[in-house]
Amino acid sequence: MGREQWKKVWVGSAGNMVEWFDWFVYATFAVYFADAFFPKGNETANLMNTMGIFAVGFFMRPVGGWLLGRIGDRRGRKAALTLTVSLMSASAILIAVAPTYGVAGYGGVAVLLVARLLQGLSVGGEYAASATYLTEASAPGRRGFASSFQYVSMTAGQLVGLGLQIVLQRTLSEDALHSWGWRIPFIVGAVGAAVVFYLRRSLLETEVYAESGAAADESRGTLKALWAHRREAVLVMALTMGGTVAYYTYTTYLTKFLSSSAGMPKPTASLVSFCALFVFMCVQPLAGLLSDRIGRRPMLITFAVGSTFLTVPIMTMLKHAGTFWPAFGLALLALLIVTGYTSINACVKAELFPTGIRALGVALPYAVANALFGGTAEYVALWFKKAGAESGFYWYVAGCAAVSLVVYLTMRETRDIDLNRAAAPGTTGRAPENLGKTSPSAL
């Protein structure tokens, strides 16, 4: 890729990192502030309530996907990217100053809920805006490689959050973390979002969008235009299902699982997650580059097969890992399997749609799938745990991966699709009629 393309990838990724830092620190620090917003007594119930609010943010993501996807298609990718980070900054500030139960009763929960709704709105548009931007900003033969930086930046955001958590765990007492220390990452996130807002204001629009003629089409970014591509929208939801459940299981939920179910000290559980995620982040570009050579379907199928048949044994052994190294090895194995999905899912979805409907086409169905499966993953896990049948969650994750496996086996390859194929002035265009249908060559 050329220098200008690298600049676009870097700036787009930097904003994505801050977005997901703010999104994930809620989950990683929930064990410290759950009791701050609810009456003390039942730690598991308070954590479930806090993660229930976390899940509510996911249900706002379809609204954000529709609104910001529409803006991305009608006003450009840059406009959507700038707005998403502004919303995330506002939500981080709200959480940082939210009053506790002892100060305002359930008023603090109301502030927390509003902040999560804003985060959901922001992230609902951020995923599609960054996926579309990174895919369009790259050379045709390097779309898998360039778009893999979406999960590099997402994981980097989570690593910064986990790193900050580890530092705070070693510098503050347990009481201080529960009392006020949990507010620090949200202050950091608000400052980081302000910096990225400045960077994104100078961001250049992608050539694919600028030269497509999509901006002159009145139907661009509309639900009517998306309905014309409903087959591709359903395909996005189906191929997202297994990937999003597995991803959230081994990222945001892993630390809590190791500490509450495997009995590890919280600092050790955080360190396991940090080290495994660091390696996971580093392999994303390599997997994206591999997909540019062998195609997207082989990568997706490898993920789905691995998750379908290995989730139950991996989770079972993680529960009895006991110490750092066994837990690290198992967590890394799980994340390497998930890499088959995370490294390329952004470009696969973007490659399904023409320019005039690409941002909305990726945003809305992806956000719906995340609301139904990704956002509820931790709540489902805690529900099974509270019911005394924690292993049921392992089978749930494996089952979701099995559903996506069927989709991967029947979908068409997207690697060689021309992003300008439907970019004629005055039209949103149609994707190839056989895209997403089963064909003998695809089986």
Side-chain angles (χ1 to χ4, degrees):
M1 296 193 299
R3 181 178 179 181
E4 192 60 44
Q5 289 175 324
W6 272 115
K7 180 180 178 181
K8 291 178 179 179
V9 169
W10 179 82
V11 175
S13 298
N16 201 41
M17 182 185 74
V18 175
E19 287 268 5
W20 289 95
F21 168 85
D22 287 337
W23 181 262
F24 280 122
V25 290
Y26 182 100
T28 56
F29 279 85
V31 292
Y32 292 110
F33 66 76
D35 290 337
F37 294 100
F38 298 95
K40 296 185 182 300
N42 191 325
E43 183 177 343
T44 300
N46 286 349
L47 186 58
M48 284 186 67
N49 290 333
T50 305
M51 295 318 299
I53 295 176
F54 180 76
V56 167
F58 279 84
F59 286 95
M60 195 65 178
R61 288 175 68 164
V63 179
W66 166 74
L67 176 62
L68 294 163
R70 178 182 173 87
I71 291 173
D73 284 327
R74 297 183 72 85
R75 299 192 178 183
R77 317 313 188 199
K78 174 184 173 180
L81 286 169
T82 304
L83 182 55
T84 59
V85 78
S86 302
L87 292 171
M88 186 60 76
S89 178
S91 65
I93 293 173
L94 281 176
I95 297 176
V97 301
T100 62
Y101 180 82
V103 173
Y106 286 107
V109 175
V111 174
L112 200 63
L113 182 60
V114 170
R116 283 298 299 169
L117 292 175
L118 285 177
Q119 283 189 334
L121 189 69
S122 173
V123 175
E126 172 66 22
Y127 174 87
S130 61
T132 302
Y133 190 87
L134 290 173
T135 302
E136 291 182 349
S138 61
R142 288 291 183 268
R143 291 200 298 256
F145 175 71
S147 65
S148 70
F149 282 89
Q150 183 181 51
Y151 270 81
V152 170
S153 57
M154 286 174 62
T155 307
Q158 188 173 5
L159 283 174
V160 173
L162 277 172
L164 182 57
Q165 185 181 56
I166 291 171
V167 170
L168 292 176
Q169 286 171 338
R170 281 158 173 73
T171 56
L172 298 177
S173 66
E174 190 81 2
D175 289 341
L177 277 170
H178 282 275
S179 177
W180 56 269
W182 59 266
R183 297 182 187 272
I184 294 175
F186 297 103
I187 296 172
V188 172
V191 173
V195 173
V196 172
F197 175 80
Y198 173 78
L199 291 174
R200 283 188 168 179
R201 288 186 63 188
S202 62
L203 200 63
L204 297 176
E205 189 58 78
T206 66
E207 292 182 5
V208 171
Y209 182 84
E211 299 176 359
S212 66
D217 183 7
E218 286 302 315
S219 66
R220 66 194 184 280
T222 63
L223 292 176
K224 180 180 180 181
L226 181 60
W227 180 251
H229 300 275
R230 55 191 177 277
R231 185 186 303 120
E232 291 78 24
V234 172
L235 185 59
V236 168
M237 292 180 62
L239 66 87
T240 298
M241 178 181 178
T244 192
V245 171
Y247 178 75
Y248 279 96
T249 296
Y250 296 121
T251 55
T252 59
Y253 181 60
L254 180 64
T255 303
K256 287 184 282 293
F257 177 78
L258 291 176
S259 62
S260 64
S261 296
M264 281 188 178
K266 290 177 182 176
T268 303
S270 297
L271 187 61
V272 168
S273 293
F274 182 89
C275 294
L277 283 169
F278 180 80
V279 178
F280 170 75
M281 177 184 70
C282 293
V283 301
Q284 298 304 299
L286 299 177
L289 193 61
L290 180 61
S291 79
D292 286 327
R293 295 182 63 87
I294 68 173
R296 320 299 189 210
R297 288 182 65 250
M299 305 292 292
L300 293 171
I301 291 171
T302 298
F303 148 71
V305 170
S307 290
T308 300
F309 295 103
L310 296 180
T311 293
V312 174
I314 287 175
M315 293 294 290
T316 301
M317 288 188 287
L318 270 173
K319 187 173 182 178
H320 300 94
T323 58
F324 172 84
W325 287 108
F328 169 72
L330 290 166
L332 181 58
L333 173 61
L335 286 170
L336 289 177
I337 292 172
V338 175
T339 295
Y341 166 81
T342 57
S343 61
I344 60 169
N345 82 96
C347 67
V348 170
K349 294 162 188 172
E351 288 166 344
L352 292 173
F353 297 94
T355 305
I357 196 62
R358 185 167 293 131
L360 181 60
V362 174
L364 186 55
Y366 171 80
V368 170
N370 258 272
L372 295 175
F373 303 104
T376 58
E378 290 196 55
Y379 194 85
V380 172
L382 291 170
W383 183 87
F384 274 109
K385 179 179 174 62
K386 188 176 182 181
E390 190 167 33
S391 61
F393 177 67
Y394 314 162
W395 289 100
Y396 170 77
V397 177
C400 290
V403 172
S404 287
L405 175 59
V406 175
V407 177
Y408 302 153
L409 289 171
T410 56
M411 69 180 286
R412 295 292 301 273
E413 180 58 63
T414 63
R415 178 188 59 179
D416 298 321
I417 287 178
D418 181 5
L419 293 183
N420 291 303
R421 70 189 183 279
T427 66
T428 54
R430 289 281 302 180
E433 288 300 317
N434 61 352
L435 190 60
K437 290 184 177 181
T438 304
S439 69
S441 62
L443 295 175

